[in-house]
Amino acid sequence: MVTRRNFLKRTLTAGAGFMVAPTIVPASVFGPNAPSNRINIGAIGTGRISRDHDMPGVWKYDDVRIVAVSDLDANRVADAKKLVETYYAGKSGKPYTGVATYEHYEDLLANKEVDAVLISTPDHWHAKNAIDAVRAGKHVYLQKPTSLTIEEGRKMSDAVNASGRILQIGSQQRSMEQFRVACELVRNGRVGELKKIEIRLPGDPPGGNTEEMPVPKNFNYDKWLGQTPYVYYTVDRVHPQQGYGRPGWLRCEQFGAGMITGWGAHHFDIAHWAMDKEYSGPVEVYGKAAFATGGLWDVHGQYETEMIYDNGVVVTGTTDSKEKPNGVLFTGTDGWIFVSRGAYAASPNEPISTSSKALQASDPKLLAPLTDLDPVRLYVSKDHHGNWLDSIRTGRKNITPAEVAHRSCTACLLQHIAMKLNKRLYWDPVLERFKNDDEANSMLARPHRPPYNF
Protein backbone atom coordinates (compact mmCIF):
# COMPACT_ATOMS: atom_id res chain seq x y z
CA MET A 1 0.00 0.00 0.00
CA VAL A 2 1.28 3.49 -0.82
CA THR A 3 1.85 5.45 2.40
CA ARG A 4 0.50 8.92 3.10
CA ARG A 5 2.81 11.85 2.46
CA ASN A 6 2.99 15.47 3.40
CA PHE A 7 3.24 17.02 -0.06
CA LEU A 8 3.69 20.55 1.27
CA LYS A 9 7.06 19.62 2.81
CA ARG A 10 8.68 18.47 -0.43
CA THR A 11 12.31 19.50 -0.50
CA LEU A 12 14.44 19.37 -3.62
CA THR A 13 18.15 20.02 -3.32
CA ALA A 14 20.25 22.05 -5.74
CA GLY A 15 22.50 19.09 -6.54
CA ALA A 16 20.04 17.33 -8.82
CA GLY A 17 21.41 18.34 -12.22
CA PHE A 18 18.99 20.36 -14.35
CA MET A 19 16.14 20.07 -11.88
CA VAL A 20 12.89 21.99 -11.66
CA ALA A 21 10.88 21.94 -8.44
CA PRO A 22 7.28 20.92 -9.10
CA THR A 23 4.18 22.77 -8.08
CA ILE A 24 1.96 20.63 -5.88
CA VAL A 25 -1.56 20.47 -7.22
CA PRO A 26 -4.48 19.65 -4.87
CA ALA A 27 -6.11 16.26 -5.32
CA SER A 28 -9.34 18.06 -6.21
CA VAL A 29 -7.81 18.94 -9.58
CA PHE A 30 -7.87 15.27 -10.54
CA GLY A 31 -10.95 14.04 -8.73
CA PRO A 32 -11.41 11.60 -5.84
CA ASN A 33 -7.95 9.99 -5.77
CA ALA A 34 -6.26 11.66 -2.81
CA PRO A 35 -2.45 11.91 -2.68
CA SER A 36 -2.37 9.30 0.11
CA ASN A 37 -3.78 6.67 -2.26
CA ARG A 38 -1.80 7.70 -5.29
CA ILE A 39 1.11 5.92 -6.94
CA ASN A 40 3.73 8.53 -7.78
CA ILE A 41 5.93 7.56 -10.70
CA GLY A 42 9.26 8.76 -12.08
CA ALA A 43 10.33 8.14 -15.66
CA ILE A 44 14.00 7.26 -16.19
CA GLY A 45 14.91 7.68 -19.86
CA THR A 46 12.44 9.81 -21.81
CA GLY A 47 13.10 8.89 -25.44
CA ARG A 48 10.91 7.26 -28.06
CA ILE A 49 9.58 4.23 -26.16
CA SER A 50 8.95 6.23 -22.99
CA ARG A 51 6.99 8.93 -24.82
CA ASP A 52 5.07 6.60 -27.13
CA HIS A 53 4.43 3.66 -24.83
CA ASP A 54 5.50 3.72 -21.19
CA MET A 55 4.36 7.12 -19.89
CA PRO A 56 1.03 6.92 -21.75
CA GLY A 57 0.66 3.40 -20.36
CA VAL A 58 0.45 4.73 -16.79
CA TRP A 59 -0.77 8.31 -16.96
CA LYS A 60 -4.23 7.17 -18.11
CA TYR A 61 -4.91 5.82 -14.60
CA ASP A 62 -6.55 8.33 -12.25
CA ASP A 63 -4.76 7.07 -9.13
CA VAL A 64 -1.33 7.39 -10.75
CA ARG A 65 0.73 10.52 -11.24
CA ILE A 66 3.99 10.96 -13.14
CA VAL A 67 5.78 13.39 -10.82
CA ALA A 68 9.38 13.24 -12.08
CA VAL A 69 11.35 12.63 -15.28
CA SER A 70 15.05 12.01 -15.83
CA ASP A 71 17.27 11.95 -18.90
CA LEU A 72 20.91 12.63 -19.72
CA ASP A 73 19.78 14.80 -22.62
CA ALA A 74 18.52 18.14 -21.26
CA ASN A 75 16.37 18.74 -24.33
CA ARG A 76 14.64 15.39 -23.92
CA VAL A 77 13.93 15.87 -20.24
CA ALA A 78 12.45 19.31 -20.96
CA ASP A 79 10.30 17.77 -23.70
CA ALA A 80 9.15 15.04 -21.30
CA LYS A 81 8.15 17.57 -18.64
CA LYS A 82 6.13 19.48 -21.22
CA LEU A 83 4.54 16.29 -22.57
CA VAL A 84 3.39 15.08 -19.15
CA GLU A 85 2.20 18.44 -17.91
CA THR A 86 0.31 19.11 -21.14
CA TYR A 87 -1.45 15.76 -20.78
CA TYR A 88 -2.50 16.41 -17.19
CA ALA A 89 -3.60 19.95 -17.99
CA GLY A 90 -5.75 18.63 -20.82
CA LYS A 91 -7.19 15.93 -18.61
CA SER A 92 -8.12 18.29 -15.78
CA GLY A 93 -8.88 21.40 -17.81
CA LYS A 94 -6.60 23.38 -15.48
CA PRO A 95 -2.93 24.45 -15.68
CA TYR A 96 -0.50 21.89 -14.30
CA THR A 97 3.22 22.20 -13.56
CA GLY A 98 3.78 19.27 -11.21
CA VAL A 99 6.75 17.41 -12.76
CA ALA A 100 10.30 17.53 -11.35
CA THR A 101 13.19 17.13 -13.80
CA TYR A 102 16.53 15.48 -13.22
CA GLU A 103 19.68 14.84 -15.20
CA HIS A 104 20.90 12.03 -12.94
CA TYR A 105 18.50 9.18 -12.25
CA GLU A 106 20.11 8.64 -8.85
CA ASP A 107 18.67 11.99 -7.75
CA LEU A 108 15.21 10.96 -8.94
CA LEU A 109 15.55 7.74 -6.92
CA ALA A 110 16.42 9.82 -3.85
CA ASN A 111 13.07 11.63 -4.10
CA LYS A 112 11.01 10.11 -1.29
CA GLU A 113 7.76 11.04 -2.99
CA VAL A 114 8.45 8.65 -5.89
CA ASP A 115 6.97 5.17 -5.33
CA ALA A 116 7.84 3.53 -8.63
CA VAL A 117 9.82 4.12 -11.81
CA LEU A 118 9.50 3.46 -15.51
CA ILE A 119 12.94 2.52 -16.87
CA SER A 120 13.11 3.19 -20.60
CA THR A 121 16.85 3.68 -21.03
CA PRO A 122 19.14 2.00 -23.60
CA ASP A 123 19.72 -1.73 -23.03
CA HIS A 124 23.17 -1.39 -21.47
CA TRP A 125 21.72 0.62 -18.57
CA HIS A 126 18.71 -1.62 -17.81
CA ALA A 127 20.16 -3.91 -15.15
CA LYS A 128 21.99 -1.21 -13.19
CA ASN A 129 19.03 1.16 -13.31
CA ALA A 130 16.76 -1.60 -11.99
CA ILE A 131 19.17 -2.70 -9.25
CA ASP A 132 19.64 0.86 -8.02
CA ALA A 133 15.89 1.47 -8.14
CA VAL A 134 14.82 -1.51 -6.04
CA ARG A 135 17.61 -0.83 -3.55
CA ALA A 136 16.18 2.68 -3.24
CA GLY A 137 12.81 1.11 -2.41
CA LYS A 138 11.11 1.77 -5.74
CA HIS A 139 8.91 -0.57 -7.74
CA VAL A 140 10.08 -0.96 -11.33
CA TYR A 141 8.60 -1.28 -14.81
CA LEU A 142 11.65 -2.19 -16.91
CA GLN A 143 11.82 -2.09 -20.66
CA LYS A 144 13.11 -5.31 -22.18
CA PRO A 145 15.63 -6.82 -22.47
CA THR A 146 16.57 -7.11 -18.82
CA SER A 147 20.32 -6.93 -19.31
CA LEU A 148 23.32 -6.64 -21.60
CA THR A 149 24.81 -9.91 -20.28
CA ILE A 150 23.57 -13.01 -18.50
CA GLU A 151 25.63 -12.19 -15.41
CA GLU A 152 23.98 -8.76 -15.14
CA GLY A 153 20.56 -10.34 -15.49
CA ARG A 154 21.26 -12.70 -12.63
CA LYS A 155 22.38 -9.79 -10.44
CA MET A 156 19.22 -7.87 -11.36
CA SER A 157 16.85 -10.72 -10.54
CA ASP A 158 18.61 -11.47 -7.26
CA ALA A 159 18.51 -7.80 -6.24
CA VAL A 160 14.79 -7.53 -7.00
CA ASN A 161 13.95 -10.68 -5.07
CA ALA A 162 16.05 -9.55 -2.09
CA SER A 163 14.42 -6.12 -2.05
CA GLY A 164 10.79 -7.19 -1.85
CA ARG A 165 9.99 -4.60 -4.53
CA ILE A 166 7.88 -5.39 -7.60
CA LEU A 167 9.52 -5.47 -11.03
CA GLN A 168 7.69 -6.12 -14.26
CA ILE A 169 9.45 -6.41 -17.59
CA GLY A 170 7.91 -4.72 -20.63
CA SER A 171 6.96 -7.97 -22.39
CA GLN A 172 3.56 -6.58 -23.26
CA GLN A 173 2.74 -9.51 -25.53
CA ARG A 174 1.79 -11.42 -22.37
CA SER A 175 -1.05 -8.95 -21.95
CA MET A 176 -2.24 -9.36 -25.55
CA GLU A 177 -5.06 -11.88 -25.70
CA GLN A 178 -3.90 -13.78 -28.78
CA PHE A 179 -0.54 -14.68 -27.22
CA ARG A 180 -2.13 -15.96 -24.01
CA VAL A 181 -4.72 -17.93 -25.99
CA ALA A 182 -2.04 -19.45 -28.22
CA CYS A 183 -0.03 -20.54 -25.18
CA GLU A 184 -3.13 -21.98 -23.47
CA LEU A 185 -4.04 -23.95 -26.59
CA VAL A 186 -0.53 -25.35 -26.87
CA ARG A 187 -0.36 -26.16 -23.15
CA ASN A 188 -3.69 -28.00 -23.45
CA GLY A 189 -2.44 -30.16 -26.31
CA ARG A 190 -4.33 -28.66 -29.25
CA VAL A 191 -1.37 -29.24 -31.59
CA GLY A 192 -0.78 -32.68 -30.09
CA GLU A 193 2.70 -33.30 -28.73
CA LEU A 194 4.66 -30.08 -29.18
CA LYS A 195 7.73 -30.68 -31.31
CA LYS A 196 9.01 -27.36 -32.59
CA ILE A 197 8.66 -23.62 -32.01
CA GLU A 198 9.85 -21.26 -34.73
CA ILE A 199 10.60 -17.66 -33.78
CA ARG A 200 10.76 -15.11 -36.59
CA LEU A 201 12.21 -11.69 -35.85
CA PRO A 202 12.73 -8.48 -37.82
CA GLY A 203 16.21 -7.59 -39.03
CA ASP A 204 18.44 -4.54 -38.65
CA PRO A 205 20.23 -2.88 -41.57
CA PRO A 206 23.98 -2.24 -41.63
CA GLY A 207 25.29 1.30 -42.07
CA GLY A 208 25.49 4.30 -39.80
CA ASN A 209 27.62 7.43 -40.16
CA THR A 210 31.05 6.88 -38.56
CA GLU A 211 32.05 10.56 -38.64
CA GLU A 212 33.20 11.86 -35.24
CA MET A 213 31.08 14.78 -34.06
CA PRO A 214 31.24 17.20 -31.13
CA VAL A 215 29.14 16.14 -28.15
CA PRO A 216 26.03 18.35 -27.89
CA LYS A 217 26.19 20.71 -24.91
CA ASN A 218 22.81 19.45 -23.72
CA PHE A 219 23.97 15.82 -23.48
CA ASN A 220 25.96 13.97 -20.79
CA TYR A 221 27.60 11.55 -23.21
CA ASP A 222 30.17 10.03 -20.86
CA LYS A 223 27.49 8.89 -18.44
CA TRP A 224 25.28 7.74 -21.31
CA LEU A 225 28.09 5.35 -22.35
CA GLY A 226 27.99 4.09 -18.78
CA GLN A 227 29.72 0.79 -18.11
CA THR A 228 30.72 0.32 -21.78
CA PRO A 229 34.13 1.40 -23.20
CA TYR A 230 34.64 5.02 -24.15
CA VAL A 231 34.19 5.68 -27.87
CA TYR A 232 33.86 9.00 -29.69
CA TYR A 233 30.47 10.59 -30.14
CA THR A 234 28.55 10.45 -33.38
CA VAL A 235 24.80 10.91 -33.58
CA ASP A 236 24.14 7.55 -35.28
CA ARG A 237 25.67 5.82 -32.26
CA VAL A 238 23.21 7.42 -29.86
CA HIS A 239 19.82 9.02 -30.61
CA PRO A 240 18.63 11.81 -32.92
CA GLN A 241 19.08 15.35 -31.66
CA GLN A 242 15.96 16.32 -33.56
CA GLY A 243 12.82 14.26 -33.07
CA TYR A 244 12.31 10.79 -31.67
CA GLY A 245 13.08 8.41 -34.52
CA ARG A 246 14.54 4.96 -33.98
CA PRO A 247 17.91 5.43 -32.24
CA GLY A 248 21.21 4.18 -33.61
CA TRP A 249 22.32 2.53 -30.37
CA LEU A 250 19.85 -0.29 -31.06
CA ARG A 251 22.17 -1.33 -33.91
CA CYS A 252 25.47 -1.19 -32.00
CA GLU A 253 26.71 -4.30 -30.16
CA GLN A 254 28.35 -2.12 -27.54
CA PHE A 255 24.90 -1.32 -26.19
CA GLY A 256 22.82 -4.38 -27.06
CA ALA A 257 22.70 -7.63 -29.01
CA GLY A 258 20.36 -6.47 -31.79
CA MET A 259 17.01 -7.95 -32.68
CA ILE A 260 17.78 -11.27 -30.98
CA THR A 261 17.15 -9.46 -27.69
CA GLY A 262 15.23 -6.44 -29.02
CA TRP A 263 12.29 -8.48 -30.30
CA GLY A 264 13.57 -11.85 -29.17
CA ALA A 265 12.89 -10.95 -25.56
CA HIS A 266 9.21 -10.82 -26.52
CA HIS A 267 8.90 -13.91 -28.69
CA PHE A 268 11.19 -16.29 -26.77
CA ASP A 269 9.30 -15.29 -23.63
CA ILE A 270 6.13 -16.51 -25.34
CA ALA A 271 7.90 -19.77 -26.25
CA HIS A 272 8.81 -20.28 -22.59
CA TRP A 273 5.25 -19.53 -21.52
CA ALA A 274 3.83 -22.09 -23.95
CA MET A 275 6.31 -24.77 -22.83
CA ASP A 276 6.02 -24.07 -19.08
CA LYS A 277 9.77 -23.29 -19.04
CA GLU A 278 9.58 -19.79 -17.60
CA TYR A 279 12.09 -20.57 -14.85
CA SER A 280 14.44 -22.70 -16.88
CA GLY A 281 16.15 -22.60 -20.27
CA PRO A 282 17.61 -24.67 -23.09
CA VAL A 283 20.22 -27.38 -22.68
CA GLU A 284 21.72 -27.04 -26.17
CA VAL A 285 22.23 -23.94 -28.31
CA TYR A 286 23.53 -23.43 -31.84
CA GLY A 287 23.70 -20.30 -33.91
CA LYS A 288 25.22 -18.64 -36.93
CA ALA A 289 24.76 -15.12 -38.27
CA ALA A 290 26.09 -12.55 -40.68
CA PHE A 291 27.70 -9.53 -39.00
CA ALA A 292 28.39 -6.27 -40.82
CA THR A 293 32.08 -5.45 -41.24
CA GLY A 294 31.79 -1.81 -42.36
CA GLY A 295 29.90 1.18 -41.07
CA LEU A 296 28.90 1.96 -37.53
CA TRP A 297 26.08 -0.51 -36.97
CA ASP A 298 27.40 -3.98 -36.21
CA VAL A 299 24.60 -6.08 -34.69
CA HIS A 300 23.69 -9.37 -36.34
CA GLY A 301 21.95 -9.47 -39.69
CA GLN A 302 20.49 -12.65 -41.20
CA TYR A 303 20.78 -15.46 -38.68
CA GLU A 304 19.77 -19.01 -37.83
CA THR A 305 19.64 -20.44 -34.32
CA GLU A 306 18.47 -23.62 -32.67
CA MET A 307 17.86 -24.39 -29.01
CA ILE A 308 16.86 -27.76 -27.54
CA TYR A 309 15.06 -27.98 -24.19
CA ASP A 310 15.02 -30.90 -21.78
CA ASN A 311 11.47 -31.76 -22.91
CA GLY A 312 12.83 -32.41 -26.41
CA VAL A 313 11.21 -29.36 -28.00
CA VAL A 314 13.37 -27.63 -30.59
CA VAL A 315 13.13 -23.82 -30.67
CA THR A 316 14.55 -22.16 -33.77
CA GLY A 317 15.17 -18.53 -34.63
CA THR A 318 15.24 -16.95 -38.08
CA THR A 319 14.89 -13.54 -39.68
CA ASP A 320 11.33 -12.92 -40.82
CA SER A 321 10.30 -12.63 -44.46
CA LYS A 322 7.20 -12.20 -46.60
CA GLU A 323 6.80 -15.97 -46.69
CA LYS A 324 7.58 -16.37 -42.98
CA PRO A 325 6.24 -13.29 -41.18
CA ASN A 326 7.29 -12.02 -37.77
CA GLY A 327 5.70 -14.15 -35.06
CA VAL A 328 5.77 -17.48 -33.23
CA LEU A 329 4.87 -20.79 -34.90
CA PHE A 330 4.05 -23.81 -32.70
CA THR A 331 4.16 -27.17 -34.48
CA GLY A 332 3.04 -30.46 -32.97
CA THR A 333 1.99 -33.94 -34.00
CA ASP A 334 -1.57 -32.75 -34.73
CA GLY A 335 -0.99 -29.43 -36.49
CA TRP A 336 0.30 -25.90 -35.99
CA ILE A 337 -0.70 -22.59 -34.43
CA PHE A 338 0.82 -19.25 -35.44
CA VAL A 339 0.58 -16.07 -33.35
CA SER A 340 1.77 -12.52 -34.01
CA ARG A 341 1.01 -8.95 -33.01
CA GLY A 342 -0.94 -8.39 -36.18
CA ALA A 343 -1.10 -4.66 -36.85
CA TYR A 344 -0.14 -3.62 -33.30
CA ALA A 345 3.04 -1.55 -32.77
CA ALA A 346 4.26 -0.10 -29.46
CA SER A 347 5.84 2.82 -31.32
CA PRO A 348 5.20 4.39 -34.75
CA ASN A 349 8.80 3.56 -35.75
CA GLU A 350 8.53 -0.12 -34.91
CA PRO A 351 8.25 -2.92 -37.49
CA ILE A 352 5.02 -4.91 -37.44
CA SER A 353 4.08 -8.35 -38.62
CA THR A 354 3.19 -8.77 -42.27
CA SER A 355 0.67 -11.43 -41.26
CA SER A 356 -2.94 -10.47 -41.87
CA LYS A 357 -4.18 -12.34 -38.80
CA ALA A 358 -2.83 -12.34 -35.25
CA LEU A 359 -3.86 -15.95 -34.58
CA GLN A 360 -3.98 -18.74 -37.19
CA ALA A 361 -3.90 -22.53 -37.26
CA SER A 362 -3.50 -25.42 -39.67
CA ASP A 363 -7.13 -26.29 -38.87
CA PRO A 364 -9.59 -23.69 -37.52
CA LYS A 365 -10.84 -26.31 -35.06
CA LEU A 366 -7.54 -25.99 -33.18
CA LEU A 367 -8.56 -22.44 -32.22
CA ALA A 368 -11.95 -23.43 -30.75
CA PRO A 369 -12.54 -21.92 -27.28
CA LEU A 370 -11.26 -23.86 -24.29
CA THR A 371 -13.69 -26.14 -22.46
CA ASP A 372 -13.77 -27.88 -19.10
CA LEU A 373 -11.73 -30.65 -20.72
CA ASP A 374 -8.83 -28.20 -21.08
CA PRO A 375 -7.36 -27.91 -17.57
CA VAL A 376 -4.61 -25.32 -18.14
CA ARG A 377 -5.52 -21.67 -17.68
CA LEU A 378 -2.81 -19.00 -17.77
CA TYR A 379 -2.50 -15.66 -16.01
CA VAL A 380 -4.91 -13.13 -17.53
CA SER A 381 -3.71 -9.55 -17.92
CA LYS A 382 -5.61 -7.18 -20.18
CA ASP A 383 -3.29 -4.18 -19.82
CA HIS A 384 0.43 -4.63 -19.20
CA HIS A 385 1.16 -1.36 -17.41
CA GLY A 386 -2.12 -1.71 -15.55
CA ASN A 387 -1.12 -5.18 -14.38
CA TRP A 388 2.10 -3.76 -12.91
CA LEU A 389 0.19 -1.00 -11.12
CA ASP A 390 -2.31 -3.50 -9.75
CA SER A 391 0.58 -5.60 -8.45
CA ILE A 392 1.93 -2.54 -6.62
CA ARG A 393 -1.49 -1.83 -5.11
CA THR A 394 -2.21 -5.39 -3.99
CA GLY A 395 1.17 -7.08 -3.60
CA ARG A 396 0.03 -9.88 -5.91
CA LYS A 397 2.47 -11.38 -8.39
CA ASN A 398 2.52 -9.68 -11.78
CA ILE A 399 2.53 -11.39 -15.17
CA THR A 400 6.26 -10.96 -15.98
CA PRO A 401 8.36 -10.80 -12.79
CA ALA A 402 12.12 -10.44 -12.61
CA GLU A 403 13.18 -14.09 -12.76
CA VAL A 404 10.87 -14.87 -15.68
CA ALA A 405 12.25 -11.83 -17.49
CA HIS A 406 15.84 -12.88 -16.79
CA ARG A 407 15.25 -16.38 -18.14
CA SER A 408 13.70 -15.06 -21.37
CA CYS A 409 16.58 -12.64 -21.89
CA THR A 410 19.06 -15.44 -21.13
CA ALA A 411 17.66 -17.57 -23.96
CA CYS A 412 18.25 -14.66 -26.33
CA LEU A 413 21.77 -13.94 -25.10
CA LEU A 414 22.68 -17.63 -25.34
CA GLN A 415 21.79 -17.53 -29.01
CA HIS A 416 23.87 -14.39 -29.47
CA ILE A 417 26.89 -16.09 -27.92
CA ALA A 418 26.34 -19.08 -30.19
CA MET A 419 26.13 -16.74 -33.21
CA LYS A 420 29.47 -15.19 -32.28
CA LEU A 421 31.16 -18.56 -31.77
CA ASN A 422 29.34 -20.35 -34.61
CA LYS A 423 29.22 -23.66 -32.78
CA ARG A 424 26.99 -25.88 -30.67
CA LEU A 425 27.02 -25.12 -26.97
CA TYR A 426 25.71 -27.06 -23.97
CA TRP A 427 24.00 -25.05 -21.24
CA ASP A 428 23.15 -25.86 -17.64
CA PRO A 429 20.05 -23.77 -16.81
CA VAL A 430 20.42 -24.49 -13.08
CA LEU A 431 24.05 -23.41 -12.71
CA GLU A 432 23.72 -20.90 -15.57
CA ARG A 433 27.03 -21.97 -17.06
CA PHE A 434 28.13 -23.64 -20.28
CA LYS A 435 29.42 -27.17 -19.90
CA ASN A 436 33.14 -27.61 -20.57
CA ASP A 437 33.50 -24.42 -22.59
CA ASP A 438 35.68 -21.70 -21.07
CA GLU A 439 35.44 -19.55 -24.20
CA ALA A 440 31.66 -19.44 -24.06
CA ASN A 441 31.62 -18.91 -20.29
CA SER A 442 33.91 -15.90 -20.73
CA MET A 443 31.10 -14.26 -22.70
CA LEU A 444 28.57 -14.43 -19.85
CA ALA A 445 29.87 -11.09 -18.60
CA ARG A 446 31.62 -7.96 -19.89
CA PRO A 447 34.08 -5.65 -18.13
CA HIS A 448 32.46 -2.56 -16.62
CA ARG A 449 34.03 0.88 -17.05
CA PRO A 450 34.40 2.74 -13.74
CA PRO A 451 32.64 4.51 -12.14
CA TYR A 452 29.61 2.81 -13.72
CA ASN A 453 30.54 -0.72 -12.66
CA PHE A 454 28.20 -2.84 -10.55
Side-chain angles (χ1 to χ4, degrees):
M1 180 177 179
V2 180
T3 58
R4 182 170 181 84
R5 297 169 181 79
N6 185 343
F7 279 78
L8 298 179
K9 293 183 179 179
R10 182 192 299 260
T11 301
L12 297 174
T13 64
F18 39 79
M19 181 180 69
V20 178
T23 300
I24 305 305
V25 178
S28 59
V29 171
F30 294 99
N33 294 289
S36 60
N37 298 318
R38 208 163 66 192
I39 301 173
N40 287 337
I41 290 181
I44 299 174
T46 60
R48 175 186 63 117
I49 200 68
S50 180
R51 294 173 61 88
D52 292 344
H53 185 62
D54 288 334
M55 290 194 288
V58 299
W59 71 26
K60 63 188 179 184
Y61 290 93
D62 290 339
D63 64 344
V64 172
R65 194 72 64 243
I66 298 175
V67 299
V69 292
S70 169
D71 201 286
L72 295 171
D73 187 322
N75 292 344
R76 289 193 161 201
V77 82
D79 284 353
K81 175 180 172 66
K82 181 179 179 180
L83 178 71
V84 175
E85 292 179 347
T86 299
Y87 173 80
Y88 285 138
K91 185 175 184 178
S92 67
K94 300 178 182 180
Y96 181 70
T97 56
V99 179
T101 63
Y102 300 88
E103 175 183 3
H104 300 287
Y105 77 92
E106 297 92 339
D107 295 323
L108 184 152
L109 294 179
N111 184 339
K112 301 297 185 183
E113 305 300 340
V114 173
D115 303 302
V117 292
L118 301 167
I119 297 176
S120 313
T121 53
D123 295 0
H124 65 291
W125 267 104
H126 284 181
K128 181 166 175 55
N129 287 155
I131 290 169
D132 289 347
V134 296
R135 287 177 176 169
K138 314 302 184 186
H139 302 292
V140 174
Y141 185 98
L142 178 65
Q143 263 302 324
K144 53 74 203 166
T146 56
S147 59
L148 190 64
T149 67
I150 292 173
E151 180 188 68
E152 290 174 13
R154 170 47 55 209
K155 289 181 178 179
M156 183 280 298
S157 184
D158 289 349
V160 172
N161 291 329
S163 73
R165 299 296 89 185
I166 291 165
L167 181 143
Q168 176 152 296
I169 197 71
S171 295
Q172 70 268 18
Q173 289 183 170
R174 288 222 179 190
S175 297
M176 299 173 73
E177 184 178 21
Q178 71 267 31
F179 286 97
R180 173 179 54 80
V181 168
C183 291
E184 286 181 328
L185 293 172
V186 171
R187 291 268 286 263
N188 282 293
R190 288 296 179 88
V191 297
E193 182 183 357
L194 182 63
K195 293 293 187 180
K196 183 178 180 180
I197 304 175
E198 183 178 343
I199 307 293
R200 303 163 184 165
L201 306 176
D204 263 319
N209 187 351
T210 60
E211 177 187 359
E212 184 172 0
M213 301 176 183
V215 177
K217 293 181 180 180
N218 54 283
F219 184 42
N220 187 338
Y221 178 60
D222 183 81
K223 186 168 185 179
W224 184 91
L225 287 171
Q227 53 155 299
T228 73
Y230 184 85
V231 288
Y232 67 81
Y233 173 85
T234 186
V235 69
D236 280 358
R237 198 194 304 277
V238 190
H239 57 251
Q241 279 296 302
Q242 300 294 326
Y244 289 88
R246 195 161 186 264
W249 64 260
L250 283 166
R251 300 164 180 168
C252 298
E253 275 203 340
Q254 181 166 343
F255 313 118
M259 281 294 188
I260 194 65
T261 54
W263 267 70
H266 290 298
H267 285 352
F268 289 100
D269 176 58
I270 296 301
H272 281 186
W273 204 17
M275 288 192 292
D276 194 15
K277 293 295 181 183
E278 298 167 275
Y279 293 91
S280 184
V283 294
E284 292 185 34
V285 187
Y286 171 75
K288 63 179 180 179
F291 289 89
T293 56
L296 186 71
W297 298 331
D298 58 358
V299 294
H300 69 85
Q302 296 285 326
Y303 78 101
E304 294 180 12
T305 60
E306 178 184 273
M307 297 187 293
I308 301 175
Y309 286 71
D310 62 4
N311 58 3
V313 175
V314 176
V315 180
T316 64
T318 58
T319 309
D320 64 3
S321 65
K322 185 176 181 179
E323 295 75 25
K324 294 186 174 184
N326 178 339
V328 184
L329 177 67
F330 301 100
T331 302
T333 54
D334 295 338
W336 57 261
I337 290 174
F338 175 76
V339 62
S340 76
R341 293 188 184 184
Y344 166 85
S347 167
N349 304 109
E350 184 178 86
I352 62 174
S353 174
T354 56
S355 172
S356 60
K357 295 182 179 180
L359 189 61
Q360 303 173 57
S362 54
D363 184 337
K365 293 179 181 178
L366 299 182
L367 303 181
L370 298 176
T371 71
D372 292 341
L373 299 177
D374 300 303
V376 179
R377 296 293 189 278
L378 299 178
Y379 192 129
V380 177
S381 165
K382 296 184 179 180
D383 182 278
H384 207 61
H385 290 92
N387 177 255
W388 173 60
L389 295 169
D390 187 59
S391 188
I392 293 172
R393 296 183 193 103
T394 65
R396 292 194 293 265
K397 183 179 178 181
N398 62 65
I399 196 167
T400 50
E403 184 65 19
V404 169
H406 166 59
R407 294 293 182 162
S408 297
C409 185
T410 293
C412 301
L413 291 170
L414 290 174
Q415 292 170 89
H416 187 250
I417 292 171
M419 289 179 198
K420 302 296 285 188
L421 298 179
N422 193 23
K423 65 179 181 181
R424 187 165 294 275
L425 303 169
Y426 299 90
W427 177 249
D428 185 330
V430 177
L431 298 178
E432 296 187 274
R433 300 281 294 177
F434 291 103
K435 298 177 181 179
N436 303 315
D437 198 319
D438 292 340
E439 181 183 27
N441 281 323
S442 72
M443 300 173 73
L444 297 176
R446 295 192 199 181
H448 289 174
R449 181 173 68 103
Y452 307 107
N453 47 306
F454 62 101

